[in-house]
């Protein structure tokens, strides 16, 4: 089967002259031209594995089947998945074709797991759709999670309506200078807010759960508090409360851990201070957020993947 046949006509046209994400590189990804994300029109999967480290209601009792894509349309200085997200890293495309990916997902689903998460999908949305369609054609209808940095076009999210059960977007910054410095995307605050608003339009504030408390449908916004940037985090929370609602579900993360790339960075080279995190939690409570999760201060020890292993999180 030709690669083009995996995708809808419209998605093939987009990949041929790539304007999938806000970077709009116009690369022909079928001809192995690559744009900012560094990825062609193939599946670009680094790992399909069980992950138990998402929020308890997302992971459930048995964990979630996560599909980690290689490459990314943001180049965050502090990326916790830098082993697979950076251009030129060695540990990248392991699962290159659709059938292999489906086999691996099916094996994991047969172990009593019913949720499939697509991690860093913004530059591979046609591939995500192809995977969901292939699973459906095998008679499998897992709960689907779109786990995104939110540097997504509004149109992309609009187009995913009905295909995605759970949106799990980051909202990283509201200050363009900071998103430019740390993630090389000056327009991130406005682009991400627009994308998250569309997710909110589709899902509202309710997280629907099953009898075991595992999420089946809804929106959960994540925010990682960065060292030295508690004030930015407070602004992010205010923005969410004002532009969406303090009724949304929020995951306020303290798990930041400096990778070797930022070990010498003046601010990003350390973990978060307890006082910084607590100040943000206080604002979260003052703003009326009541739904969601906070983390322990030692969580940074538990969330460092090693993508050279078959099970990066085990
Ligand atoms: S998906 Fe990749 S190639 Fe396409 S516009 Fe975005 S960064 Fe560029």
């Amino acid at each position: 089967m030709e690669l083009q046949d995996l995708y809808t006509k419209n998605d093939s046209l987009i990949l041929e002259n790539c304007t999938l994400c806000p970077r709009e590189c116009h690369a022909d990804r079928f001809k192995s031209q690559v744009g900012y994300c560094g990825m062609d029109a193939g599946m670009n999967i680094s790992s399909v594995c069980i992950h138990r480290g998402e929020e308890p209601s997302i992971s459930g009792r048995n964990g979630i089947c996560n599909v980690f894509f290689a490459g990314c349309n943001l180049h965050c200085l502090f990326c916790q998945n830098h082993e697979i997200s950076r251009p030129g890293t060695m540990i990248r495309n392991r699962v290159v074709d659709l059938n292999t990916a489906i086999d691996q997902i099916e094996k994991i689903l047969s172990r009593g797991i019913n949720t499939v998460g697509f991690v860093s999908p913004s530059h591979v949305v046609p591939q995500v759709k192809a995977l969901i369609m292939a699973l459906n054609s095998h008679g499998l209808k897992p709960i689907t999670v779109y786990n995104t940095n939110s540097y997504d076009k509004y149109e992309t999210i609009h187009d995913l309506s009905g295909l995605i059960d759970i949106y799990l977007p980051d909202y990283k910054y509201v200050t363009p200078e900071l998103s430019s410095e740390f993630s090389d995307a000056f327009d991130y605050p406005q682009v991400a807010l627009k994308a998250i608003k569309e997710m909110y339009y589709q899902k509202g504030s309710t997280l629907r759960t099953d009898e075991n408390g595992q999420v089946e449908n809804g929106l959960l916004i994540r925010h990682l508090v960065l060292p030295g940037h508690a004030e930015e985090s407070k602004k992010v929370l205010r923005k969410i409360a004002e532009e969406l609602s303090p009724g949304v579900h929020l995951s306020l993360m303290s798990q930041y851990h400096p990778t070797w790339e930022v070990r010498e960075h003046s601010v990003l080279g350390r973990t978060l201070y307890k006082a910084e995190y607590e100040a943000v939690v206080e604002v979260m409570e003052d703003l009326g957020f009541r739904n969601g999760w906070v983390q322990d201060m030692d969580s940074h020890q538990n969330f460092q993947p090693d993508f050279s292993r078959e099970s990066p999180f085990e």
Side-chain angles (χ1 to χ4, degrees), residues 18-21 23-25 29 35-37 73 123:
C18 195
T19 54
L20 179 60
C21 88
R23 301 271 177 203
E24 299 202 337
C25 304
R29 294 173 65 182
Y36 187 92
C37 61
N73 66 344
H123 59 301

Side-chain angles (χ1 to χ4, degrees), residues 15-312:
L15 289 171
E16 244 174 62
N17 181 25
C18 195
T19 54
L20 179 60
C21 88
R23 301 271 177 203
E24 299 202 337
C25 304
H26 295 278
D28 184 346
R29 294 173 65 182
F30 288 110
K31 294 200 172 136
S32 296
Q33 285 176 11
V34 293
Y36 187 92
C37 61
M39 294 290 110
D40 63 16
M43 279 290 124
N44 296 308
I45 295 171
S46 272
S47 177
V48 177
C49 62
I50 299 175
H51 187 200
R52 297 182 173 84
E54 309 287 24
E55 288 75 6
S57 288
I58 302 288
S59 290
R61 286 183 188 162
N62 299 327
I64 170 176
C65 171
N66 263 347
V67 178
F68 286 90
F69 290 103
C72 189
N73 66 344
L74 286 183
H75 290 168
C76 302
L77 293 180
F78 50 85
C79 180
Q80 310 285 291
N81 292 345
H82 63 97
E83 291 174 326
I84 58 171
S85 66
R86 292 273 189 273
T89 53
M90 298 301 286
I91 316 168
R92 293 189 68 151
N93 282 310
R94 283 223 181 97
V95 183
V96 287
D97 67 277
L98 181 73
N99 290 337
T100 311
I102 294 298
D103 280 351
Q104 294 194 1
I105 295 170
E106 278 195 76
K107 258 188 213 136
I108 290 177
L109 294 182
S110 72
R111 294 168 64 178
I113 288 172
N114 66 348
T115 306
V116 177
F118 301 101
V119 186
S120 296
S122 308
H123 59 301
V124 282
V125 176
Q127 289 85 333
V128 169
K129 291 184 197 164
L131 285 164
I132 294 173
M133 294 304 173
L135 285 169
N136 290 172
S137 73
H138 285 218
L140 294 166
K141 289 235 173 218
I143 294 163
T144 52
V145 181
Y146 190 78
N147 181 343
T148 176
N149 61 32
S150 302
Y151 199 49
D152 293 290
K153 282 185 169 176
Y154 156 83
E155 295 83 354
T156 303
I157 304 301
H158 183 70
D159 198 36
L160 286 172
S161 178
L163 268 188
I164 296 297
D165 298 305
I166 303 168
Y167 287 112
L168 199 51
D170 294 337
Y171 193 32
K172 296 173 185 288
Y173 323 95
V174 292
T175 305
E177 288 75 13
L178 199 61
S179 61
S180 175
E181 183 186 348
F182 285 177
S183 296
D184 194 22
F186 189 82
D187 59 353
Y188 176 88
Q190 76 180 66
V191 166
L193 184 62
K194 197 169 172 190
I196 295 171
K197 277 185 166 176
E198 171 59 20
M199 297 175 204
Y200 181 64
Y201 177 77
Q202 290 177 27
K203 302 293 181 185
S205 294
T206 310
L207 266 191
R208 201 180 77 215
T209 56
D210 67 12
E211 63 279 8
N212 298 315
Q214 186 164 5
V215 178
E216 293 178 324
N217 203 291
L219 164 68
L220 169 57
I221 302 174
R222 284 174 163 171
H223 175 70
L224 176 68
V225 184
L226 294 174
H229 289 86
E231 289 310 311
E232 180 71 7
S233 292
K234 293 175 191 173
K235 288 183 201 162
V236 165
L237 298 184
R238 281 191 200 103
K239 186 62 102 180
I240 296 170
E242 284 164 18
E243 299 273 347
L244 284 87
S245 159
V248 294
H249 286 72
L250 195 68
S251 178
L252 189 65
M253 300 189 292
S254 63
Q255 70 185 54
Y256 176 81
H257 185 271
T259 60
W260 63 268
E261 289 180 304
V262 288
R263 257 195 324 238
E264 305 301 324
H265 192 279
S266 57
V267 205
L268 298 175
R270 64 166 170 88
T271 54
L272 198 62
Y273 297 141
K274 192 164 181 251
E276 290 174 309
Y277 188 60
E278 287 177 348
V280 181
V281 171
E282 198 179 316
V283 168
M284 180 187 80
E285 289 170 353
D286 288 349
L287 287 167
F289 288 101
R290 292 289 178 270
N291 300 319
W293 291 265
V294 290
Q295 284 183 320
D296 294 331
M297 284 311 294
D298 61 1
S299 58
H300 64 88
Q301 294 167 8
N302 305 326
F303 295 98
Q304 297 165 43
D306 178 355
F307 284 96
S308 64
R309 297 198 305 234
E310 201 164 310
S311 302

